[in-house]
């Protein structure tokens, strides 16, 4: 079936349609039902915002000027962010604002290319990677108001370069460099996570056998004539170990479910939004939560984000760390392997994948 991208829909009929095609209209079923009810309750007051964490202060290697007290305080805030929110805004991550702007710029330039050029990278039937919509399994599936580009970035020999844009010229080099930086940041976060739970520094990295996989998802959300009717990205939790998001610099749209309410993530210049995925929720025996989140659209502006999903290799067995199981806190999850496959299966049915692996 020849499918128009959302961008093409908006370009058609002179300034875009006045409403949205039926296929994009949200239905309050499955996990979306709870999400819709939470929305009816309204957004939390802005005073309660996702915590900001200074990555340069996290152990094991804060810079010499940092006092022991500042480091201990930051680790405490980090621990509390992950047990309550499951996400935080990371600052002082070591990348310059101009480099992050370059990452944003290559993504923006890609989506701004003519349709014929982007079609070269179109997702093949049944394939996850490539440009266009997510995999569509049935006529009932409600579509998200997004054209995304999905690319496996690590391990390097798994890269399908046919899907990697050759335009703009700087795209590939910039994304290689960015992903390399994110690998370092993921290591810092996983080490601090272990330390904050009183485990050995490398405990989680070892259990995730190096956390060697990384997939990039570039989300392009065209402005929408009826943002109230659609989701940019429907409510979900990620199937990753952790996810590192580079949000749009000017347009808000990402929201997290917190205590039964949707809370928007405000723009913090050059911060990265880092959230726990289901695999770390399993690994930490539920100490750290894999939070539900969604992206909404708006009528005035397009929005672009880049989510980088980190994973262990598919063959790695993931289970609650034995050190985090005790009499008052029994193991809460089964041992799983190749979680993304389980994830995909349940997600497409509108269910929460992690519920399938609870004991
Ligand atoms: O658009 C965003 O800010 C978040 C995207 C997201 O949650 C995802 O790609 O999984
Ligand atoms: Fe997500």
């Amino acid at each position: 079936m020849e499918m128009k991208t959302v961008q093409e829909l908006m370009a058609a009929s002179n300034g875009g349609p006045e409403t949205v095609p039926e296929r994009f209209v949200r239905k309050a079923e499955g996990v979306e039902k709870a999400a819709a009810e939470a929305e009816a309750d309204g957004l939390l007051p802005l005073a309660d915002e996702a915590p900001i964490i200074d990555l340069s202060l996290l152990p094991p290697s804060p810079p010499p000027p940092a006092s022991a007290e500042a480091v201990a305080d930051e680790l405490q805030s980090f621990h509390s962010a992950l047990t309550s929110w499951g996400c935080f805004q990371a600052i002082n991550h070591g990348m310059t604002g101009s480099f992050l702007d370059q990452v944003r710029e290559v993504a923006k330039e890609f989506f701004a290319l003519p349709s014929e050029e982007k079609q070269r990278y179109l997702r093949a039937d049944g394939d996850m990677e490539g440009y266009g919509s997510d995999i569509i399994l049935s006529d009932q599936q409600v579509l998200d108001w997004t054209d995304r580009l999905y690319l496996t970035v690590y391990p390097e020999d798994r890269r399908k370069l046919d899907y990697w844009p050759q335009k703009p010229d700087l795209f590939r080099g910039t994304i290689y460099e960015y992903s390399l930086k994110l690998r370092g940041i993921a290591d810092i976060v996983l080490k601090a996570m272990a330390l904050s739970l009183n485990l050995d520094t490398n405990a989680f990295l070892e259990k995730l056998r190096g956390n060697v996989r990384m997939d990039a998802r570039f989300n392009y959300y065209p402005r929408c004539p009826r943002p109230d009717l659609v989701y940019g990205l429907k409510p979900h939790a990620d199937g990753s170990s952790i996810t590192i998001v580079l949000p749009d610099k000017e347009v808000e749209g990402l929201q997290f479910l917190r205590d039964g309410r949707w809370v928007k993530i405000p723009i913090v210049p050059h911060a990265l939004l880092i959230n726990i995925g289901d695999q770390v929720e399993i690994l930490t025996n539920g100490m750290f939560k894999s939070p539900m989140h969604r992206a909404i659209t708006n009528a005035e502006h397009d929005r672009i984000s880049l989510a980088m999903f980190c994973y262990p290799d598919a063959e790695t067995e993931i289970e609650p760390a034995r050190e985090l199981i005790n009499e008052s806190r029994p193991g809460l999850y089964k041992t799983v392997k190749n979680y993304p496959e389980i994830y995909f299966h349940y997600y497409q049915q509108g269910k929460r994948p992690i519920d399938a692996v609870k004991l």
Side-chain angles (χ1 to χ4, degrees):
M1 180 183 57
E2 190 56 34
M3 267 256 321
K4 276 201 169 69
T5 61
V6 179
Q7 190 175 26
E8 285 165 343
L9 274 175
M10 284 306 286
S13 72
N14 211 355
E18 270 157 29
T19 189
V20 299
E22 194 59 34
R23 296 226 46 188
F24 291 89
V25 176
R26 318 170 173 185
K27 292 197 189 93
E29 285 168 8
V31 288
E32 289 181 51
K33 185 150 185 265
E37 281 160 10
E39 181 162 25
D41 279 347
L43 298 180
L44 268 189
L46 266 178
D48 197 10
E49 283 183 359
I52 293 177
I53 301 293
D54 183 339
L55 283 194
S56 75
L57 285 178
L58 291 182
S61 44
S67 70
E69 200 188 345
V71 171
D73 280 357
E74 204 62 15
L75 190 63
Q76 179 53 45
S77 307
F78 174 80
H79 177 267
S80 129
L82 295 183
T83 51
S84 59
W85 287 78
C87 72
F88 59 91
Q89 305 238 47
I91 59 166
N92 290 333
H93 41 60
M95 284 181 286
T96 62
S98 62
F99 179 64
L100 293 183
D101 284 344
Q102 184 181 324
V103 175
R104 291 184 169 108
E105 187 57 30
V106 295
K108 189 171 167 189
E109 285 178 22
F110 170 74
F111 289 112
L113 291 172
S115 286
E116 307 81 71
E117 176 69 24
K118 284 181 300 215
Q119 301 284 329
R120 297 173 54 185
Y121 309 104
L122 211 56
R123 186 176 63 72
D125 256 356
D127 206 348
M128 180 79 158
E129 287 183 67
Y131 166 69
S133 71
D134 281 326
I135 296 182
I136 300 172
L137 292 178
S138 84
D139 291 341
Q140 271 73 51
Q141 191 173 326
V142 176
L143 305 185
D144 291 324
W145 196 259
T146 184
D147 300 329
R148 94 295 189 268
L149 172 68
Y150 198 100
L151 302 171
T152 291
V153 175
Y154 285 105
E156 283 178 58
D157 61 9
R158 294 267 312 261
R159 287 179 187 167
K160 293 186 187 164
L161 285 177
D162 287 351
Y163 281 133
W164 285 64
Q166 282 174 301
K167 284 184 193 163
D169 291 343
L170 287 179
F171 185 96
R172 291 186 176 189
T174 303
I175 299 306
Y176 291 158
E177 191 181 339
Y178 179 65
S179 58
L180 195 64
K181 295 263 166 55
L182 290 200
R183 276 177 69 103
I185 290 173
D187 282 1
I188 290 172
V189 171
L190 286 165
K191 285 179 183 177
M193 277 179 11
L195 288 170
S196 84
L197 292 168
N198 297 318
L199 304 183
D200 290 342
T201 311
N202 291 315
F204 289 148
L205 270 170
E206 278 164 17
K207 290 181 204 294
L208 294 165
R209 293 231 217 101
N211 201 38
V212 289
R213 282 197 51 189
M214 212 149 113
D215 287 358
R217 181 183 169 109
F218 298 79
N219 295 296
Y220 172 61
Y221 310 100
R223 74 206 147 74
C224 178
R226 289 295 304 274
D228 56 318
L229 292 183
V230 306
Y231 287 121
L233 206 53
K234 54 176 82 67
H236 67 282
D238 293 341
S240 56
S241 56
I242 61 169
T243 305
I244 305 177
V245 181
L246 180 63
D248 197 286
K249 209 168 97 174
E250 275 134 28
V251 186
E252 289 176 347
L254 178 58
Q255 301 181 341
F256 279 77
L257 193 60
R258 162 114 171 104
D259 294 337
R261 303 264 189 100
W262 289 105
V263 183
K264 70 173 179 175
I265 300 296
I267 290 166
V268 173
H270 305 314
L272 298 168
L273 187 286
I274 301 185
N275 68 266
I276 296 293
D278 288 354
Q279 300 199 48
V280 160
E281 179 170 326
I282 296 169
L283 200 56
T284 61
N285 198 24
M287 294 288 290
F288 295 160
K289 297 276 180 293
S290 169
M292 290 287 284
H293 54 286
R294 65 180 186 177
I296 56 158
T297 61
N298 75 82
E300 282 88 39
H301 304 287
D302 301 349
R303 178 172 177 268
I304 295 179
S305 68
L306 167 53
M308 210 50 106
F309 305 108
C310 304
Y311 295 101
D313 180 79
E315 288 309 304
T316 309
E317 290 195 335
I318 302 297
E319 60 189 2
R322 215 164 298 149
E323 304 89 321
L324 301 175
I325 298 178
N326 54 47
E327 264 167 40
S328 61
R329 195 179 182 84
L332 298 173
Y333 308 88
K334 297 176 198 160
T335 302
V336 298
K337 228 165 104 168
N338 200 358
Y339 186 75
E341 201 160 287
I342 304 174
Y343 180 89
F344 183 71
H345 183 74
Y346 284 87
Y347 174 67
Q348 294 301 352
Q349 297 177 31
K351 295 182 188 156
R352 263 210 81 168
I354 200 154
D355 291 340
V357 301
K358 283 190 176 142
L359 283 171

